[in-house]
Amino acid sequence: MNEIKKVKTDDKGKFYNYMNMKLIGLICEESDGLANLSNASALLNLLLDEINWAGFYLYKNRELILGPFQGKPACTHLQIGKGVCGTAAKELKIQVVKDVHEFPGHVACDSASESEIVLPIVYEGKLIGVLDIDSPIKGRFDEMDAKGLQRFVDTLNKYMDWSTVI
Ligand code: SME
């Protein structure tokens, strides 16, 4: 396997191009969804600066269940409509939260988290789950991160066989 190196750049566009390319390399020839989500969370954790949690919650039995991730052990069940993940899953909209303490119903899994971004994963009109990333820094994520990470989710949707994980 090719070594994946951390890149030093202030250009978020370039950074997300690089990360997306590495994601394709990791998952394009692997059919097992659990293996792919595990490597995807490891890639996020390796490349993104100033984060303390990155991973997936999967939509099963009308709730979000903890999937592959990197970071401290986390809440295993999240309700649709509650907290940042539940809101992203209910509204099917990316949530960019500059200060988690100001988000009504925020679910604190790691007390170090100060800001968060959550992207819904929707495939063929159906909710698959969410991608959740936490940071110990306030205001860590912006619209460029939202755009770059949406490409990350689009790549997952292109190569993943979701039926192997949900
Ligand atoms: N903060 C999330 C819960 C998941 S943890 O951050 C890993 C939320 O409010 O939904």
Side-chain angles (χ1 to χ4, degrees):
M1 183 185 278
N2 278 344
E3 199 195 338
I4 298 169
K5 293 202 179 86
K6 234 177 133 58
V7 276
K8 257 274 133 298
T9 174
D10 290 333
D11 183 333
K12 288 192 179 184
K14 268 193 195 156
F15 170 80
Y16 283 109
N17 280 344
Y18 176 77
M19 189 160 73
N20 198 50
M21 196 178 75
K22 292 298 171 189
L23 178 65
I24 294 170
L26 283 172
I27 70 174
C28 70
E29 286 177 357
E30 174 55 60
S31 59
D32 188 277
L34 196 54
N36 283 338
L37 291 184
S38 301
N39 268 338
S41 66
L43 183 66
L44 292 165
N45 189 49
L46 176 69
L47 295 183
L48 283 166
D49 282 329
E50 298 175 325
I51 65 159
N52 57 309
W53 202 92
F56 299 91
Y57 280 88
L58 298 168
Y59 184 55
K60 298 181 195 177
N61 297 324
R62 292 187 290 280
E63 57 178 349
L64 293 170
I65 313 280
L66 184 62
F69 72 95
Q70 304 259 312
K72 285 192 180 167
C75 319
T76 49
H77 293 242
L78 298 172
Q79 281 175 268
I80 301 300
K82 296 265 167 68
V84 189
C85 292
T87 301
K90 184 174 179 198
E91 296 181 1
L92 303 181
K93 272 197 206 130
I94 301 177
Q95 306 293 309
V96 180
V97 181
K98 306 268 176 206
D99 180 350
V100 293
H101 306 293
E102 287 178 5
F103 192 96
H106 166 254
V107 181
C109 292
D110 181 344
S111 61
S113 299
E114 294 287 344
S115 62
E116 183 164 2
I117 186 166
V118 180
L119 293 94
I121 304 172
V122 177
Y123 182 71
E124 291 182 340
K126 286 192 195 123
L127 179 66
I128 301 293
V130 300
L131 167 60
D132 179 18
I133 305 173
D134 286 22
S135 169
I137 313 277
K138 278 197 175 64
R140 161 68 179 79
F141 305 104
D142 60 18
E143 284 313 306
M144 287 295 285
D145 296 290
K147 254 178 94 175
L149 291 167
Q150 183 58 56
R151 287 184 53 214
F152 193 89
V153 168
D154 292 344
T155 297
L156 289 173
N157 265 333
K158 183 167 175 192
Y159 293 101
M160 277 281 297
D161 176 0
W162 292 112
S163 71
T164 62
V165 287
I166 54 166

